[in-house]
Coordinates of all heavy atoms in Angstrom, one line a residue:
P953 N 147.8 -71.8 56.5 CA 146.6 -71.4 55.8 C 146.1 -69.9 56.2 O 146.5 -69.3 57.2 CB 145.5 -72.3 56.2 CG 145.9 -72.8 57.5 CD 147.4 -72.7 57.6
K954 N 145.3 -69.4 55.3 CA 144.6 -68.1 55.6 C 143.2 -68.3 56.2 O 142.6 -69.4 55.8 CB 144.5 -67.2 54.4 CG 143.8 -65.9 54.5 CD 143.7 -65.2 53.2 CE 143.1 -63.7 53.4 NZ 143.2 -63.0 52.1
G955 N 142.7 -67.6 57.1 CA 141.4 -67.8 57.7 C 140.5 -66.7 57.2 O 140.8 -65.5 57.1
F956 N 139.2 -67.2 57.0 CA 138.1 -66.2 56.7 C 137.1 -66.3 57.8 O 136.7 -67.4 58.2 CB 137.5 -66.6 55.4 CG 138.3 -66.4 54.1 CD1 139.1 -67.4 53.5 CD2 138.4 -65.2 53.5 CE1 139.9 -67.2 52.4 CE2 139.1 -64.9 52.4 CZ 139.9 -66.0 51.8
V957 N 136.5 -65.2 58.0 CA 135.2 -65.1 58.9 C 134.1 -64.4 58.0 O 134.3 -63.3 57.5 CB 135.4 -64.2 60.1 CG1 134.2 -64.0 60.8 CG2 136.5 -64.8 61.1
I958 N 133.2 -65.2 57.7 CA 132.0 -64.6 57.0 C 130.8 -64.4 57.9 O 130.4 -65.3 58.6 CB 131.6 -65.7 55.8 CG1 132.7 -66.2 55.1 CG2 130.6 -65.0 54.9 CD1 133.5 -65.1 54.3
I959 N 130.4 -63.2 58.1 CA 129.4 -62.8 59.0 C 128.6 -61.6 58.6 O 129.1 -60.7 58.1 CB 130.1 -62.6 60.4 CG1 129.1 -62.3 61.6 CG2 131.1 -61.5 60.3 CD1 129.7 -62.2 62.9
G960 N 127.2 -61.7 59.0 CA 126.4 -60.5 58.6 C 126.3 -59.9 57.4 O 126.7 -60.5 56.4
R961 N 125.7 -58.8 57.3 CA 125.4 -58.0 56.0 C 126.0 -56.8 56.0 O 126.3 -56.1 57.1 CB 124.0 -58.0 55.7 CG 123.2 -59.3 55.8 CD 123.5 -60.1 54.5 NE 123.3 -59.5 53.2 CZ 122.2 -59.6 52.6 NH1 121.2 -60.3 53.1 NH2 122.1 -59.0 51.4
S962 N 126.3 -56.2 54.9 CA 126.9 -54.7 54.7 C 125.9 -53.7 54.8 O 126.1 -52.5 55.2 CB 127.7 -54.7 53.4 OG 128.8 -55.4 53.5
H963 N 124.6 -54.0 54.3 CA 123.6 -53.0 54.2 C 123.3 -52.5 55.7 O 123.2 -53.3 56.5 CB 122.4 -53.4 53.4 CG 121.6 -54.6 54.2 ND1 121.9 -56.0 53.7 CD2 120.7 -54.6 55.0 CE1 121.0 -56.6 54.4 NE2 120.3 -55.9 55.3
G964 N 123.1 -51.2 55.7 CA 122.8 -50.7 57.1 C 124.0 -50.2 57.9 O 124.0 -49.7 59.0
M965 N 125.2 -50.7 57.4 CA 126.5 -50.4 58.1 C 127.0 -49.0 57.7 O 127.1 -48.6 56.5 CB 127.6 -51.4 57.7 CG 128.9 -51.3 58.5 SD 130.2 -52.6 58.0 CE 129.4 -54.0 58.6
S966 N 127.2 -48.1 58.6 CA 127.6 -46.8 58.4 C 129.0 -46.7 57.7 O 129.8 -47.7 57.8 CB 127.7 -46.0 59.6 OG 128.7 -46.4 60.4
E967 N 129.4 -45.6 57.1 CA 130.6 -45.4 56.6 C 131.7 -45.6 57.6 O 132.8 -46.2 57.2 CB 130.8 -44.0 55.9 CG 132.0 -43.7 55.2 CD 132.0 -42.4 54.5 OE1 131.0 -41.8 54.3 OE2 133.1 -42.0 53.9
D968 N 131.4 -45.0 58.7 CA 132.4 -45.1 59.9 C 132.8 -46.6 60.2 O 133.9 -47.0 60.4 CB 132.0 -44.4 61.1 CG 133.0 -44.4 62.3 OD1 134.1 -43.9 62.0 OD2 132.6 -44.7 63.3
L969 N 131.7 -47.3 60.4 CA 131.8 -48.8 60.7 C 132.5 -49.5 59.6 O 133.3 -50.5 59.8 CB 130.5 -49.4 61.1 CG 129.8 -48.9 62.3 CD1 128.6 -49.8 62.5 CD2 130.7 -49.1 63.5
S970 N 132.2 -49.2 58.3 CA 132.9 -49.8 57.2 C 134.3 -49.4 57.1 O 135.2 -50.5 56.9 CB 132.3 -49.2 55.9 OG 131.0 -49.6 55.8
K971 N 134.8 -48.3 57.6 CA 136.2 -48.0 57.6 C 136.9 -48.8 58.8 O 138.0 -49.3 58.7 CB 136.3 -46.5 58.0 CG 136.1 -45.6 56.8 CD 136.3 -44.2 57.1 CE 136.0 -43.3 55.8 NZ 136.2 -41.8 56.3
K972 N 136.1 -49.0 60.0 CA 136.6 -49.8 61.0 C 136.9 -51.3 60.5 O 137.9 -51.8 61.0 CB 135.6 -49.7 62.3 CG 135.6 -48.5 63.0 CD 134.8 -48.6 64.3 CE 135.0 -47.4 65.1 NZ 134.3 -47.6 66.5
L973 N 136.0 -51.7 59.8 CA 136.2 -53.2 59.3 C 137.3 -53.2 58.4 O 138.1 -54.3 58.4 CB 135.0 -53.6 58.5 CG 134.9 -55.0 58.1 CD1 135.2 -56.0 59.1 CD2 133.5 -55.4 57.3
K974 N 137.6 -52.2 57.5 CA 138.6 -52.1 56.6 C 140.0 -52.2 57.4 O 141.0 -53.0 57.1 CB 138.6 -51.0 55.7 CG 139.8 -50.7 54.8 CD 139.6 -49.5 54.1 CE 140.8 -49.2 53.1 NZ 140.7 -47.9 52.3
W975 N 140.0 -51.3 58.4 CA 141.3 -51.2 59.3 C 141.5 -52.5 60.0 O 142.6 -53.0 60.4 CB 141.3 -50.1 60.1 CG 141.7 -48.8 59.4 CD1 140.8 -47.8 59.1 CD2 142.9 -48.4 58.8 NE1 141.5 -46.9 58.3 CE2 142.8 -47.2 58.2 CE3 144.3 -49.0 59.0 CZ2 143.8 -46.5 57.6 CZ3 145.2 -48.4 58.3 CH2 145.1 -47.2 57.7
R976 N 140.4 -53.2 60.4 CA 140.6 -54.4 61.2 C 141.2 -55.4 60.3 O 142.0 -56.3 60.8 CB 139.2 -54.9 61.7 CG 139.1 -55.9 62.8 CD 137.7 -56.1 63.2 NE 137.8 -56.9 64.5 CZ 138.0 -56.4 65.6 NH1 138.3 -55.2 65.9 NH2 138.1 -57.3 66.7
N977 N 140.6 -55.5 59.0 CA 141.3 -56.5 58.1 C 142.8 -56.1 57.7 O 143.6 -57.1 57.7 CB 140.5 -56.5 56.8 CG 139.3 -57.2 56.9 OD1 139.3 -58.5 57.4 ND2 138.2 -56.9 56.3
I978 N 143.2 -54.9 57.8 CA 144.6 -54.5 57.6 C 145.4 -55.0 58.7 O 146.5 -55.4 58.6 CB 144.7 -52.9 57.3 CG1 144.0 -52.5 56.0 CG2 146.1 -52.5 57.5 CD1 144.0 -51.0 55.9
T979 N 144.8 -54.9 59.9 CA 145.6 -55.3 61.1 C 145.8 -56.8 61.1 O 146.9 -57.2 61.4 CB 144.7 -55.0 62.3 OG1 144.5 -53.5 62.4 CG2 145.5 -55.4 63.6
F980 N 144.9 -57.6 60.7 CA 145.1 -59.1 60.6 C 146.0 -59.4 59.4 O 146.6 -60.7 59.5 CB 143.8 -59.8 60.5 CG 143.1 -59.9 61.7 CD1 141.7 -59.4 61.9 CD2 143.5 -60.5 62.9 CE1 141.0 -59.4 63.0 CE2 142.8 -60.6 64.0 CZ 141.5 -60.0 64.1
G981 N 146.2 -58.6 58.5 CA 147.1 -58.8 57.3 C 146.7 -60.0 56.6 O 145.4 -60.2 56.3
D982 N 147.6 -60.8 56.1 CA 147.3 -61.9 55.2 C 146.8 -63.2 55.9 O 146.5 -64.2 55.3 CB 148.5 -62.3 54.3 CG 148.9 -61.1 53.4 OD1 148.0 -60.4 53.0 OD2 150.2 -61.0 53.1
R983 N 146.8 -63.1 57.2 CA 146.4 -64.3 57.9 C 145.0 -64.5 58.1 O 144.5 -65.7 58.2 CB 147.1 -64.4 59.4 CG 148.7 -64.5 59.3 CD 149.2 -65.6 58.4 NE 148.6 -66.9 58.7 CZ 149.1 -67.8 59.5 NH1 150.2 -67.5 60.2 NH2 148.5 -69.0 59.7
M984 N 144.1 -63.5 58.2 CA 142.7 -63.5 58.3 C 142.1 -62.4 57.7 O 142.5 -61.2 57.7 CB 142.4 -63.6 59.8 CG 140.9 -63.8 60.1 SD 140.6 -64.4 61.8 CE 141.0 -63.0 62.8
Q985 N 140.9 -62.6 57.2 CA 140.1 -61.6 56.6 C 138.6 -61.8 57.0 O 138.0 -62.9 57.0 CB 140.1 -61.7 55.0 CG 139.5 -60.5 54.4 CD 139.7 -60.4 52.9 OE1 140.2 -61.4 52.2 NE2 139.7 -59.3 52.3
I986 N 137.9 -60.6 57.4 CA 136.6 -60.6 57.8 C 135.7 -60.0 56.7 O 136.0 -58.9 56.2 CB 136.4 -59.8 59.1 CG1 137.1 -60.3 60.3 CG2 134.9 -59.7 59.4 CD1 138.4 -59.6 60.5
L987 N 134.8 -60.7 56.3 CA 133.9 -60.4 55.1 C 132.5 -60.6 55.4 O 132.1 -61.6 56.2 CB 134.2 -61.3 53.9 CG 135.6 -61.3 53.3 CD1 135.8 -62.3 52.2 CD2 135.9 -59.8 52.6
T988 N 131.6 -59.7 55.2 CA 130.1 -59.9 55.3 C 129.8 -60.7 54.0 O 130.5 -60.9 53.0 CB 129.4 -58.6 55.3 OG1 129.6 -58.0 53.9 CG2 129.9 -57.5 56.2
Y989 N 128.5 -61.3 54.0 CA 128.1 -62.0 52.9 C 128.0 -61.2 51.7 O 128.2 -61.5 50.5 CB 126.7 -62.7 53.3 CG 126.8 -63.8 54.1 CD1 126.9 -63.6 55.6 CD2 127.0 -65.2 53.7 CE1 127.1 -64.8 56.4 CE2 127.3 -66.2 54.5 CZ 127.3 -66.0 55.9 OH 127.4 -67.1 56.8
D990 N 127.6 -59.9 51.9 CA 127.7 -59.0 50.6 C 129.0 -58.7 50.1 O 129.2 -58.5 48.9 CB 127.0 -57.6 51.2 CG 125.5 -57.8 51.7 OD1 124.7 -58.1 50.8 OD2 125.4 -57.5 52.8
D991 N 130.0 -58.7 51.0 CA 131.4 -58.5 50.5 C 131.8 -59.6 49.7 O 132.4 -59.4 48.7 CB 132.3 -58.3 51.7 CG 132.1 -57.1 52.5 OD1 131.6 -56.2 52.0 OD2 132.4 -57.1 53.7
L992 N 131.4 -60.8 50.2 CA 131.8 -62.0 49.4 C 131.1 -62.1 48.1 O 131.8 -62.3 47.1 CB 131.4 -63.3 50.2 CG 131.8 -64.6 49.6 CD1 133.3 -64.7 49.6 CD2 131.1 -65.8 50.5
L993 N 129.8 -61.6 48.0 CA 129.1 -61.5 46.7 C 129.8 -60.6 45.8 O 130.1 -60.9 44.6 CB 127.7 -61.3 46.9 CG 126.9 -61.1 45.6 CD1 126.8 -62.5 44.8 CD2 125.4 -60.7 46.1
N994 N 130.1 -59.3 46.3 CA 130.6 -58.2 45.5 C 132.0 -58.6 45.0 O 132.4 -58.2 43.9 CB 130.6 -56.9 46.4 CG 129.3 -56.4 46.7 OD1 128.4 -56.6 45.8 ND2 129.1 -55.8 47.8
R995 N 132.8 -59.3 45.9 CA 134.2 -59.7 45.3 C 134.0 -60.6 44.2 O 134.8 -60.5 43.2 CB 134.8 -60.5 46.5 CG 135.5 -59.6 47.5 CD 136.6 -60.3 48.3 NE 136.5 -61.8 48.4 CZ 137.6 -62.7 48.7 NH1 138.6 -62.1 49.0 NH2 137.4 -63.9 48.7
A996 N 133.0 -61.6 44.1 CA 132.9 -62.5 43.1 C 132.3 -61.8 41.9 O 132.8 -62.0 40.8 CB 131.8 -63.6 43.6
I997 N 131.5 -60.8 42.0 CA 131.1 -60.0 40.9 C 132.2 -59.2 40.3 O 132.2 -59.1 39.1 CB 129.8 -59.1 41.4 CG1 128.6 -59.8 41.8 CG2 129.5 -58.1 40.2 CD1 127.5 -59.0 42.4
N998 N 133.0 -58.6 41.1 CA 134.1 -57.9 40.5 C 135.1 -58.8 39.8 O 135.6 -58.3 38.7 CB 135.0 -57.1 41.8 CG 134.1 -55.9 42.3 OD1 133.3 -55.4 41.8 ND2 134.4 -55.7 43.6
I999 N 135.3 -59.9 40.2 CA 136.2 -60.9 39.6 C 135.5 -61.3 38.2 O 136.2 -61.3 37.2 CB 136.4 -62.1 40.4 CG1 137.3 -61.8 41.7 CG2 137.2 -63.3 39.6 CD1 137.4 -62.9 42.7

């Protein structure tokens, strides 16, 4: 299975921290993804 971590909010997160989160997810690859609650909502809206 793939694992999800849903934690925190995106608002107030600097551009630098957003990039760190992006690279963190790239490092985990297809096995795990870290999403904020805003990320989860925005993904659903995009779909």
Side-chain angles (χ1 to χ4, degrees):
K954 180 176 181 177
F956 290 96
V957 172
I958 314 296
I959 180 173
R961 304 294 299 274
S962 296
H963 64 263
M965 187 182 291
S966 67
E967 184 178 348
D968 182 53
L969 292 181
S970 296
K971 287 180 180 178
K972 285 189 174 185
L973 181 58
K974 177 182 177 181
W975 282 107
R976 198 170 187 84
N977 277 319
I978 291 174
T979 302
F980 283 120
D982 293 332
R983 296 310 307 272
M984 183 163 65
Q985 189 170 19
I986 299 99
L987 298 171
T988 66
Y989 285 87
D990 299 295
D991 292 335
L992 188 61
L993 176 62
N994 290 333
R995 281 197 341 161
I997 292 173
N998 289 338
I999 293 172

